[in-house]
Amino acid sequence: MKFFNSMQKNLSFADVVASIKYFIKANPDCQYRIAVGTDSQVKGRYTCFATGIHVHRIGRGAWCCVTKVIENKRYKNLNEKISRETLMTYELVYMLNEQLMDAICDFAAKNKNFDCKLEAHIDIGTKGETRTLIREMVGYFEGIGIDAKIKPDSFAASSYANRYSKKFKAG
């Protein structure tokens, strides 16, 4: 899995974790929100999934990156497509939680104003066809104690990842 943003290319997952720690270490006495979300677009017989990681230093900027996966499959069933997006988000949230937990606890012990929340952003909402999937998709994250956000609060999926899922060449 390779990640990129406007300044960096070919980042490994270890590079992403190091970048997040570096970003927080630069100003550890702040509040942070780490949001992960996936969006997808179907083009021809291909589906492009983009998963974004958005690290927001509340009121003081952000660091972001994205990874893309193009599958040689046309997802026709909305439930299947949303389930695949949610699974990709879940896997990345779980990995980040494992890799960042010690560092987050360390920052919290040393900085009285430090606060960091890890969120899953799901590209579903109370309007439209996806409303019937809310309980099921949010349930994935409740089991591991992660907040799950849906539209209009799921910007990592519905805005950031969406921008990159649209940029791909099918075939």
Side-chain angles (χ1 to χ4, degrees):
M1 186 177 339
K2 291 293 181 185
F3 296 82
F4 64 93
N5 60 30
S6 61
M7 303 292 287
Q8 301 161 295
K9 307 286 182 238
N10 293 319
L11 297 167
S12 67
F13 180 71
D15 294 332
V16 168
V17 170
S19 293
I20 293 170
K21 289 178 183 177
Y22 180 81
F23 182 72
I24 293 172
K25 188 176 181 180
N27 202 340
D29 210 27
C30 289
Q31 295 179 338
Y32 290 85
R33 176 169 52 174
I34 303 171
V36 179
T38 304
D39 187 50
S40 64
Q41 303 292 327
V42 176
K43 211 182 264 186
R45 67 176 192 263
Y46 297 92
T47 305
C48 177
F49 293 91
T51 303
I53 301 172
H54 185 272
V55 184
H56 186 197
R57 184 183 295 138
I58 308 294
R60 297 188 178 143
W63 181 87
C64 311
C65 67
V66 68
T67 185
K68 286 169 55 166
V69 173
I70 298 174
E71 292 186 4
N72 188 5
K73 179 177 180 177
R74 178 179 180 84
Y75 284 81
K76 295 177 186 173
N77 180 297
L78 183 62
N79 190 346
E80 183 183 19
K81 186 173 110 157
I82 296 295
S83 293
R84 184 77 177 112
E85 289 177 9
T86 304
L87 178 62
M88 290 176 150
T89 298
Y90 180 91
E91 289 171 345
L92 200 48
V93 164
Y94 188 85
M95 290 167 53
L96 282 172
N97 195 37
E98 273 193 337
Q99 294 296 311
L100 292 172
M101 186 57 66
D102 289 342
I104 288 171
C105 289
D106 191 44
F107 286 127
K110 294 177 181 174
N111 302 279
K112 66 177 182 158
N113 294 322
F114 178 80
D115 185 36
C116 186
K117 291 182 176 40
L118 180 58
E119 299 176 347
H121 287 200
I122 310 169
D123 194 29
I124 57 176
T126 57
K127 298 176 182 167
E129 297 176 59
T130 61
R131 71 183 174 278
T132 61
L133 304 173
I134 293 171
R135 188 79 218 120
E136 179 183 355
M137 298 305 134
V138 169
Y140 282 122
F141 300 97
E142 288 176 344
I144 59 170
I146 300 293
D147 274 345
K149 303 289 185 186
I150 63 170
K151 292 176 185 175
D153 300 317
S154 60
F155 64 86
S158 57
S159 182
Y160 183 63
N162 176 269
R163 178 181 331 147
Y164 291 96
S165 67
K166 291 178 178 178
K167 297 178 183 177
F168 84 100
K169 292 182 178 129

